[in-house]
Amino acid sequence: MSITPITRRAEPSLQPMMNLVADEMNSVNAIILDRMQSKVAMIPELAGHLIAGGGKRLRPMLTLAGASLLDYPGTRHHKLAAAVEFIHTATLLHDDVVDGSEMRRGKRAANLIWGNPATVLVGDFLFSRAFELMVEDGSLKVLKVLSHASAVIAEGEVDQLTAQRRIETSEEEYLRIIGAKTAALFAAACQVSPIVAEAGEEAEEALESYGRNLGIAFQLIDDAIDYASDEETMGKGLGDDFRDGKMTLPVILAHARGNEEDRAFWKAAMQGERVSDEDLAHAIRLMRDTAALDDTMESARSYARRAIDALSIFPDTKAHRAMIEAAEFAVARAY
Amino acid sequence: MSITPITRRAEPSLQPMMNLVADEMNSVNAIILDRMQSKVAMIPELAGHLIAGGGKRLRPMLTLAGASLLDYPGTRHHKLAAAVEFIHTATLLHDDVVDGSEMRRGKRAANLIWGNPATVLVGDFLFSRAFELMVEDGSLKVLKVLSHASAVIAEGEVDQLTAQRRIETSEEEYLRIIGAKTAALFAAACQVSPIVAEAGEEAEEALESYGRNLGIAFQLIDDAIDYASDEETMGKGLGDDFRDGKMTLPVILAHARGNEEDRAFWKAAMQGERVSDEDLAHAIRLMRDTAALDDTMESARSYARRAIDALSIFPDTKAHRAMIEAAEFAVARAY
């Protein structure tokens, strides 16, 4: 007789959500592919490099999952999910120009292949196409939510630019920035389906809250992951935020909790005067000593919990469970 | 008794159109100023540098003039005129990044003061704000016209990027490019008022045609002016297109009409191998010898004529006369 060990709960994953929306995502992908075309050949080439290059399609996935949660029987949200992904892709292209990125989704960043000018302009094109898709759908409420989200994202990005290398950036400022540059589009993506499903104010607010808190959780974990390494695995694209002088929560916490010498290190580091691998290793040690990474993850957990709580008004369905697991996944990535 | 000489008709000017819309333009300016605000201080600073820096406000002026032509009694077009100007401002900011401009409207270009990243992002912000203004107005038809125009502008700009330094660019390709990058927004700006005034399909088409042809006339003359100088006045910001290798109609005509040696010169020049003042002077001589500048202006005149003809369905009013004179002005600038 062999003893079957009790398997502990598998790592939370996005798989259930991906399975839930797989068929509909094919339809969204078809719209994306169709609407990124242009008689100007460079546009589909450049856009396709990023769009076909993968990415989780997390934001349109949330739009689709929300529709499933609400048992929405229509297909209007497909075009709108594509619009959400276009807005996201446009911001990634512009981000790459802003940050001078070298890699994106494991490939050379578009700006390095086609140059900054084309990358800016194709971003503009995709952004305009997103609005054309929304106009075709014809919901002024969706247009309002997504045009406002787009303005907020741009504001958040400029805000982040202002905070860059500024060691005085507070936790509150940081949360405002990521609330704008990341969480606003997550929230808007989640609001689309209750609007087209006419599910009512309560459902809309719940899904908006789910998206917003999930977005913050994802961003906090991304920011932690940038430092969640040790000397051995160094140099694998980690530490980008460190070298760019990006004020993220782990830095803010480690700086606030450090002694005078540590603070001088952080200040110099954020000003770009400590960019070696040894400096990064030292930064990570300081973060561990001050529990800055643990507390960033703890903070992410609490946002993920809020996201899950926001869903409590909905019945227990496959969609509900998949969306809960997505929030668990957001945090589990860091371990 | 003194003889009063018969004064010949004064130079055509934009003044009648500016007078026509002066009061309403104050209201548009107030909306522009109000809606470019943000709690992120760098946004109104950077946007204000360009917006307050003048510019003729030609596109919103066309929206206002069209409303006057149609005797539209409302004010909905004020917000929409502001949206048109925001779209235009966003494209100027992105153009400055794309071209690496040093001057804009007689001031240092925003990208040189605040850097490319902030300039790209504030452009995105203004673009989003334009859509928020349109959504507030609530006309899906206006949203359709302006979101489509925005996509076409971006396409035209990428198209121009592709044509840059490509001596083989044809007149047809060039007209397609300026039809997209310049004329599309002129046309859309003119379409807004007949839509909100519910003036009917015929008025809409007429004003669209007026705007489109006027836009092409303006661009052709701008392209000619870049070469409309002689050795003495050289070096006053002229020749930018020449040094950037921009394929414009004067170059296309001079190249097509040149002998083998001239063509070699143009090819090298567009590839950036002839950028001195002497080279520019030589280019201008070749353009004069081949009547390339004259014929570019002749072409502009024919587009301006078409713009004027498109207005023939409207009665002879102050607005009508002002819009005709604006088209005459577009061409007269080159003399």
Side-chain angles (χ1 to χ4, degrees):
Chain A
M1 192 183 89
S2 68
I3 295 166
T4 311
I6 298 166
T7 50
R8 52 179 200 108
R9 189 184 167 160
E11 280 290 292
S13 108
L14 275 184
Q15 204 56 54
M17 196 187 266
M18 289 163 76
N19 295 343
L20 181 75
V21 305
D23 287 346
E24 294 200 287
M25 190 58 91
N26 286 334
S27 145
V28 174
N29 280 330
I31 295 168
I32 288 175
L33 206 68
D34 179 47
R35 303 308 286 271
M36 70 183 209
Q37 297 308 316
S38 162
K39 54 193 182 312
V40 181
M42 197 195 267
I43 291 177
E45 277 168 34
L46 194 158
H49 175 77
L50 182 57
I51 288 173
K56 293 182 289 292
R57 299 262 200 280
L58 190 50
R59 291 153 193 82
M61 206 191 293
L62 290 169
T63 306
L64 298 178
S68 172
L69 182 77
L70 299 166
D71 261 331
Y72 171 63
T75 56
R76 279 177 56 193
H77 61 307
H78 295 177
K79 240 181 211 179
L80 297 171
V84 165
E85 185 67 4
F86 275 167
I87 292 175
H88 177 56
T89 309
T91 64
L92 289 186
L93 290 174
H94 287 185
D95 275 357
D96 284 345
V97 171
V98 164
D99 292 341
S101 309
E102 303 197 340
M103 296 292 284
R104 170 71 72 184
R105 292 178 177 167
K107 298 165 87 170
R108 283 185 80 201
N111 49 311
L112 288 194
I113 303 175
W114 287 275
N116 283 341
T119 306
V120 169
L121 296 172
V122 173
D124 290 350
F125 173 79
L126 292 176
F127 198 55
S128 303
R129 270 288 152 92
F131 279 94
E132 286 194 271
L133 282 164
M134 287 182 251
V135 170
E136 281 174 31
D137 174 69
S139 163
L140 279 166
K141 197 164 178 186
V142 167
L143 274 158
K144 183 180 175 176
V145 165
L146 279 166
S147 61
H148 184 63
S150 300
V152 167
I153 291 167
E155 271 183 312
E157 302 248 19
V158 178
D159 209 2
Q160 182 174 48
L161 215 54
T162 315
Q164 203 166 1
R165 308 206 175 282
R166 243 191 78 242
I167 193 69
E168 301 82 13
T169 307
S170 68
E171 177 165 355
E172 202 180 330
E173 286 175 86
Y174 165 79
L175 286 171
R176 186 185 68 209
I177 289 168
I178 67 171
K181 72 158 197 161
T182 307
L185 192 56
F186 273 78
C190 288
Q191 253 181 295
V192 165
S193 288
I195 292 172
V196 298
E198 296 177 34
E201 203 62 38
E202 199 194 358
E204 227 181 276
E205 279 175 22
L207 279 161
E208 194 273 346
S209 169
Y210 170 79
R212 189 164 30 80
N213 285 295
L214 182 67
I216 296 177
F218 260 104
Q219 186 64 60
L220 283 164
I221 295 297
D222 276 351
D223 291 344
I225 284 175
D226 210 73
Y227 292 96
S229 174
D230 47 37
E231 286 90 326
E232 289 93 65
T233 55
M234 200 70 75
K236 301 194 171 168
L238 291 164
D240 282 349
D241 290 350
F242 181 72
R243 284 180 289 268
D244 289 346
K246 277 210 179 135
M247 289 299 299
T248 60
L249 190 55
V251 175
I252 293 167
L253 295 179
H255 173 259
R257 294 166 182 181
N259 60 27
E260 213 167 309
E261 186 189 334
D262 300 338
R263 290 191 182 203
F265 168 81
W266 284 114
K267 185 170 182 178
M270 289 299 104
Q271 285 173 353
E273 295 157 14
R274 301 281 184 281
V275 295
S276 73
D277 282 1
E278 292 70 37
D279 292 324
L280 178 54
H282 182 60
I284 292 171
R285 266 195 307 277
L286 291 180
M287 282 180 176
R288 292 205 172 140
D289 292 351
T290 56
L293 284 179
D294 286 344
D295 286 353
T296 296
M297 293 193 255
E298 182 51 44
S299 181
R301 255 192 302 278
S302 96
Y303 283 101
R305 235 180 280 125
R306 280 194 232 174
I308 291 168
D309 285 343
L311 297 181
S312 63
I313 61 163
F314 300 107
D316 177 28
T317 57
K318 220 166 127 183
H320 195 176
R321 287 191 296 276
M323 291 174 84
I324 289 173
E325 193 168 335
E328 292 168 349
F329 164 78
V331 180
R333 292 178 307 145
Y335 295 96
Chain B
M1 194 184 93
S2 68
I3 295 164
T4 311
I6 297 164
T7 50
R8 49 178 204 108
R9 190 186 167 159
E11 281 289 292
S13 109
L14 274 184
Q15 203 57 51
M17 196 186 266
M18 289 164 77
N19 295 342
L20 181 77
V21 304
D23 288 347
E24 295 200 286
M25 189 59 91
N26 285 335
S27 147
V28 173
N29 279 329
I31 296 168
I32 288 174
L33 206 69
D34 180 48
R35 305 308 287 272
M36 71 183 210
Q37 297 308 314
S38 162
K39 53 191 183 315
V40 180
M42 197 195 268
I43 290 176
E45 277 168 33
L46 195 158
H49 174 77
L50 182 56
I51 288 173
K56 293 181 290 292
R57 301 261 198 281
L58 189 51
R59 292 154 193 80
M61 205 190 295
L62 291 169
T63 306
L64 298 179
S68 173
L69 182 77
L70 299 167
D71 261 330
Y72 171 63
T75 57
R76 279 177 57 194
H77 61 307
H78 295 177
K79 243 183 210 178
L80 297 171
V84 165
E85 185 67 3
F86 275 168
I87 291 175
H88 176 56
T89 310
T91 64
L92 290 186
L93 290 173
H94 287 186
D95 275 356
D96 284 345
V97 171
V98 164
D99 292 341
S101 309
E102 302 196 343
M103 297 292 282
R104 169 73 72 185
R105 292 177 177 169
K107 297 166 87 170
R108 282 185 79 202
N111 49 310
L112 287 194
I113 303 175
W114 287 275
N116 282 342
T119 306
V120 169
L121 296 171
V122 173
D124 290 350
F125 173 79
L126 292 176
F127 198 55
S128 303
R129 270 287 154 91
F131 279 93
E132 286 194 270
L133 282 163
M134 288 182 251
V135 170
E136 280 173 31
D137 173 70
S139 162
L140 278 167
K141 196 163 178 189
V142 168
L143 275 157
K144 184 179 175 179
V145 165
L146 279 166
S147 61
H148 184 63
S150 301
V152 167
I153 293 167
E155 271 183 313
E157 302 250 18
V158 178
D159 209 2
Q160 181 173 51
L161 217 54
T162 315
Q164 203 165 2
R165 307 205 175 283
R166 243 191 78 241
I167 195 69
E168 300 81 13
T169 307
S170 68
E171 177 165 355
E172 201 180 333
E173 284 175 87
Y174 165 79
L175 286 171
R176 186 184 69 208
I177 289 169
I178 68 172
K181 73 157 197 163
T182 307
L185 192 55
F186 273 78
C190 288
Q191 252 181 298
V192 165
S193 288
I195 292 172
V196 298
E198 297 176 34
E201 203 62 38
E202 199 193 357
E204 227 181 275
E205 278 174 21
L207 279 161
E208 195 273 345
S209 169
Y210 171 78
R212 191 164 29 79
N213 286 295
L214 183 66
I216 295 177
F218 260 104
Q219 187 63 60
L220 283 165
I221 295 298
D222 276 351
D223 292 345
I225 285 176
D226 210 72
Y227 292 96
S229 175
D230 48 36
E231 285 91 326
E232 289 92 62
T233 56
M234 202 69 77
K236 299 193 173 169
L238 291 164
D240 282 349
D241 290 349
F242 181 72
R243 285 180 288 268
D244 289 346
K246 276 207 180 136
M247 289 299 299
T248 59
L249 189 55
V251 175
I252 292 167
L253 295 180
H255 172 260
R257 295 167 180 181
N259 61 28
E260 213 168 311
E261 187 189 334
D262 299 339
R263 290 191 180 203
F265 168 80
W266 283 115
K267 185 170 182 179
M270 289 300 104
Q271 284 171 354
E273 295 158 14
R274 301 281 183 280
V275 294
S276 72
D277 282 1
E278 292 71 37
D279 292 324
L280 178 54
H282 182 60
I284 291 170
R285 266 194 307 276
L286 290 181
M287 282 179 177
R288 293 207 171 140
D289 293 350
T290 56
L293 285 179
D294 286 344
D295 286 354
T296 297
M297 291 190 255
E298 182 51 46
S299 180
R301 253 191 304 278
S302 95
Y303 282 101
R305 236 180 280 125
R306 279 194 233 174
I308 291 168
D309 285 341
L311 296 182
S312 63
I313 61 163
F314 300 106
D316 177 29
T317 58
K318 221 166 125 181
H320 195 175
R321 288 190 295 275
M323 291 174 85
I324 289 174
E325 193 168 334
E328 292 168 348
F329 165 78
V331 179
R333 294 178 306 144
Y335 296 96

